[in-house]
Amino acid sequence: MKISRAAAALPMPKPADVAAAVVLPSLVSGAALIADMQYGSHAAAVELITAVATGKLSFVSFAKKWSPALSWGASVASLAFTQATITGAVGGGPAVYAWLVSIGVAGAARAVYRHHTRHDHIKVEQESVKLQTALIRQQMAAHQLVQRTTPEPVQAGPDLTGRTVEETRLRTVVWELFKAELLGCTVERTRTGWTAVLDLPVNLDRATLRAAWPKVASGMGVAGEFMLEDGALTNQLIARFIDGDPLSAVVPYQRTSGARFTDPVLLGVDRFLNPVWLDLAYNHTLVAGSSKFGKSTLVRSIAVQLADRPDTVLYGMDLKPGAPELTPMLPILQDLATTPEQAHALLDWLKEELTERGEILARAGDQEWDPQKHGRPAVWVLEDELAELVRQGDDGPWKKTPASKKQESLLALMRFAGMHFLSATQQPSRKVFGGTTDARGNYANRLSTRMNDADHRRFIFGNTPGWEPGKLDAPGKFLLQSPMHQVPAPYKGMWLTGDEFRAEVARIGATTVRAPVGKRLILPVPGETNQDRVRAALTKYGNATRKELETATGLEERQVLKAIEGLKPLIERTDAGTWRLVPGEVWEAQAVSVS
């Protein structure tokens, strides 16, 4: 292999070069014979030196791979001058012999060179094929070795790392349960926990995730409660996490102001500590709950907010002995019915007022009452313990026209006229809500604190699952059902202390405007004699017309006038034609003697 490479490295001789190697020595030899004849041995010496010099040049040219023309030309010149030297030194005979030898040497060199050149080229090609074949086999063996020794590639899973611990855990749990990667998961901290907005992939819909959420919550490993709601996009689900019980703390009373009776009232806060507002206008409201769980506080906070509005008046009905719940509200009430007789009078007055307001609306061509336009304020009737109205107002002389039937009719009719009931009860039942007709349906707003009797819930919220006031675990917590609150959830009412309540009643009562004489509600007053009744009516209502005195005392016109004559000079007639008690020390002294 080394010889072949050396031969291949030599410059390629041309036929002209070989011809020169044969012809030139002959020409040089002829020239040398002529030179020898003239110059003798001196010419042979010069030719020898030239032959050696050109031979040296030829050797160096071939060794350093210079130009092929130079290499072969120097070689030919060396042979030519060698031939000339021989010719000049030995004469013509040896010169012919030397010429023949040079021809033979040149031919043999040519034949050997061509042989080696041709066969070396073939050998080089064969060796190249063998080397390429061996290289391919080595590459195949290396590939097989890599396949046998390299472990199976592990498919990379999704990146479940989030910006928060909750986000990372949510992504991980959803992937483990559904093999679905959330497109987005934004977690934000709230005052009561955190909220996550989940962007779902195409292989996971909201219904599936909702149904499996208990497993997701279990996988999260957090102690608290989740609330789910649909997001703005069809592939979004919002999960709100509530840490612990945010409603365990007391919610302080917060005074609110309303310019009109249509403004909502503030009840308290929800589980996210957001304020909870309730629209009372054109809706009746029912508040239920067992004793000592915050029902009365709810009613009080609603009452002081309503009473603080310039276009609203409040009336009360509390048939419990002494009217303990509503008596403290007298400064902000237009009147308070505390007996069955007064309750019937209040219901009858409401019916008359409803008729008058209906006529006013008909003349104006309107459908709903507006105090600013129609001239009379919105009315709220606060009823404490609705069951007492049924028990005391349905028996005795009122059996033919029981109070429950009167109220049932009013509940169905008077909302459009800006007249409302705010009813409270501890003992909800079918009889309380109208007997054969379930008047509970007329209460659009329903609130309930804790109920000790689990069966009572169906009389407040019906049989819809989830509305369980018996599960409320602390005073002040309540459930709320209204046109805007259809999902069962606990709320916490504001805590209105006794001092705060009295202060609010005094503040609002100082500016409460009473209904004008002749247009106000007059309730029957107690008294053993006719004079006692007249005096009691004037004590309660101040100035009163004769007709108002008749309504208050239940007496006829002649009986009222006779009682007035008997009370003079303790009472007097005003320039407006009304009667009033004479003010001053004279009345106080005589009143003591009369009593």
Side-chain angles (χ1 to χ4, degrees):
M1 189 68 182
K2 291 181 180 179
I3 297 174
S4 299
R5 289 181 178 176
L10 294 175
M12 176 68 69
K14 297 180 180 180
D17 297 330
V18 178
V22 176
V23 175
L24 283 178
S26 302
L27 296 176
V28 172
S29 298
L33 288 176
I34 298 172
D36 287 339
M37 289 185 213
Q38 293 181 0
Y39 303 104
S41 61
H42 294 288
V46 173
E47 292 168 353
L48 177 62
I49 293 172
T50 304
V52 173
T54 54
K56 176 71 175 198
L57 176 62
S58 174
F59 176 78
V60 173
S61 179
F62 276 115
K64 296 195 174 198
K65 298 182 179 180
W66 289 349
S67 172
L70 176 61
S71 301
W72 288 102
S75 178
V76 170
S78 176
L79 290 175
F81 282 105
T82 300
Q83 180 66 38
T85 301
I86 295 172
T87 302
V90 298
V96 173
Y97 172 77
W99 177 76
L100 293 176
V101 171
S102 65
I103 292 176
V105 171
R110 171 67 177 175
V112 171
Y113 176 81
R114 294 187 62 183
H115 173 76
H116 281 285
T117 301
R118 181 175 64 251
H119 287 277
D120 285 347
H121 180 69
I122 295 174
K123 289 179 180 180
V124 168
E125 291 181 352
Q126 292 176 348
E127 290 294 333
S128 176
V129 172
K130 289 180 180 180
L131 289 174
Q132 291 179 358
T133 303
L135 179 60
I136 292 173
R137 289 178 179 176
Q138 289 178 355
Q139 290 176 345
M140 293 175 61
H143 180 69
Q144 293 176 356
L145 180 62
V146 170
Q147 286 186 329
R148 292 174 183 176
T149 57
T150 303
E152 290 292 332
V154 179
Q155 184 177 1
D159 184 8
L160 304 176
T161 303
R163 293 174 297 176
T164 63
V165 175
E166 294 80 10
E167 181 180 342
T168 300
R169 193 61 188 153
L170 275 171
R171 289 181 177 276
T172 302
V173 172
V174 171
W175 173 259
E176 291 174 349
L177 291 176
F178 305 102
K179 290 298 181 288
E181 183 179 0
L182 294 175
L183 301 179
C185 181
T186 304
V187 177
E188 294 184 358
R189 288 284 176 182
T190 64
R191 290 180 294 173
T192 59
W194 47 267
T195 298
V197 179
L198 309 180
D199 296 319
L200 309 183
V202 294
N203 60 330
L204 179 61
D205 58 80
R206 286 193 301 207
T208 301
L209 187 56
R210 276 181 175 274
W213 193 261
K215 295 181 180 179
V216 177
S218 177
M220 289 290 294
V222 291
E225 182 182 359
F226 281 98
M227 291 182 60
L228 302 179
E229 60 184 64
D230 293 340
L233 304 178
T234 56
N235 70 326
Q236 277 186 343
L237 184 67
I238 300 176
R240 303 183 186 275
F241 175 71
I242 303 172
D243 189 4
D245 184 8
L247 301 182
S248 60
V250 173
V251 180
Y253 170 72
Q254 179 181 348
R255 180 186 297 175
T256 62
S257 60
R260 302 198 61 200
F261 83 102
T262 52
D263 294 334
V265 298
L266 179 63
L267 300 180
V269 298
D270 60 14
R271 286 179 291 179
F272 303 100
L273 302 182
N274 298 318
V276 178
W277 299 86
L278 179 63
D279 290 318
L280 297 181
Y282 306 113
N283 290 315
H284 301 303
T285 302
L286 175 65
V287 183
S290 299
S291 179
K292 306 299 182 182
F293 283 98
K295 171 178 61 65
S296 297
T297 303
L298 270 176
V299 173
R300 287 181 175 185
S301 65
I302 294 174
V304 294
Q305 292 181 69
L306 292 175
D308 203 17
R309 298 175 181 183
D311 60 353
T312 301
V313 294
L314 271 62
Y315 295 85
M317 186 188 302
D318 187 355
L319 271 60
K320 297 192 300 297
E325 297 298 336
L326 298 188
T327 295
M329 297 187 193
L330 276 174
I332 62 175
L333 299 178
Q334 295 291 318
D335 214 333
L336 173 62
T338 60
T339 66
E341 183 181 13
Q342 291 178 339
H344 276 272
L346 173 57
L347 295 174
D348 292 340
W349 177 84
L350 290 173
K351 185 176 181 180
E352 293 175 3
E353 182 70 13
L354 174 62
T355 300
E356 293 180 10
R357 294 192 178 203
E359 293 173 354
I360 294 174
L361 287 174
R363 289 195 296 268
D366 297 328
Q367 294 182 333
E368 285 187 341
W369 190 262
D370 184 351
Q372 293 182 351
K373 180 178 182 180
H374 303 117
R376 298 185 185 182
V379 173
W380 260 276
V381 180
L382 309 182
E383 295 179 307
D384 192 77
E385 196 41 68
L386 193 57
E388 284 299 317
L389 174 65
V390 176
R391 280 193 288 266
Q392 299 183 40
D394 287 3
D395 295 331
W398 303 284
K399 283 187 176 180
K400 292 185 178 180
T401 55
S404 60
K405 292 299 182 182
K406 291 181 179 180
Q407 171 148 322
E408 179 182 349
S409 176
L410 290 170
L411 281 169
L413 298 175
M414 71 182 196
R415 288 175 297 167
F416 75 95
M419 304 169 66
H420 319 79
F421 279 106
L422 174 59
S423 307
T425 181
Q426 297 181 32
Q427 303 170 352
S429 65
R430 175 170 288 276
K431 186 176 181 181
V432 167
F433 295 118
T436 56
T437 301
D438 190 358
R440 178 197 62 192
N442 290 310
Y443 290 98
N445 299 325
R446 306 176 191 181
L447 297 84
S448 179
T449 59
R450 179 179 172 84
M451 301 287 292
N452 291 328
D453 189 342
D455 189 55
H456 283 171
R457 73 164 182 84
R458 64 188 180 93
F459 295 108
I460 305 299
F461 302 113
N463 294 319
T464 305
W467 301 91
E468 300 288 347
K471 294 183 179 180
L472 298 172
D473 57 1
K477 290 186 178 181
F478 65 93
L479 297 179
L480 169 61
Q481 188 179 84
S482 76
M484 299 300 295
H485 302 84
Q486 295 294 317
V487 177
Y491 302 90
K492 187 67 172 286
M494 294 185 295
W495 174 243
L496 180 62
T497 66
D499 291 341
E500 289 174 330
F501 173 63
R502 286 187 288 272
E504 286 292 272
V505 169
R507 178 184 65 84
I508 300 170
T511 58
T512 298
V513 178
R514 304 295 172 178
V517 176
K519 295 183 179 180
R520 59 186 172 179
L521 167 65
I522 300 295
L523 297 179
V525 295
E528 294 182 359
T529 66
N530 292 349
Q531 291 184 5
D532 291 339
R533 294 182 183 179
V534 170
R535 185 171 60 247
L538 292 175
T539 301
K540 180 177 182 180
Y541 295 110
N543 291 8
T545 64
R546 177 183 52 78
K547 188 165 185 64
E548 287 180 335
L549 291 176
E550 292 176 6
T551 302
T553 60
L555 302 175
E556 296 178 355
E557 177 183 357
R558 180 180 57 82
Q559 293 173 315
V560 170
L561 293 176
K562 186 176 181 179
I564 290 174
E565 288 295 327
L567 290 173
K568 289 181 178 180
L570 302 180
I571 62 175
E572 64 181 7
R573 187 178 178 88
T574 67
D575 295 339
T578 60
W579 297 94
R580 69 173 182 174
L581 295 171
V582 175
E585 297 180 357
V586 176
W587 158 242
E588 294 177 0
Q590 294 183 1
V592 172
S593 63
V594 172
S595 61

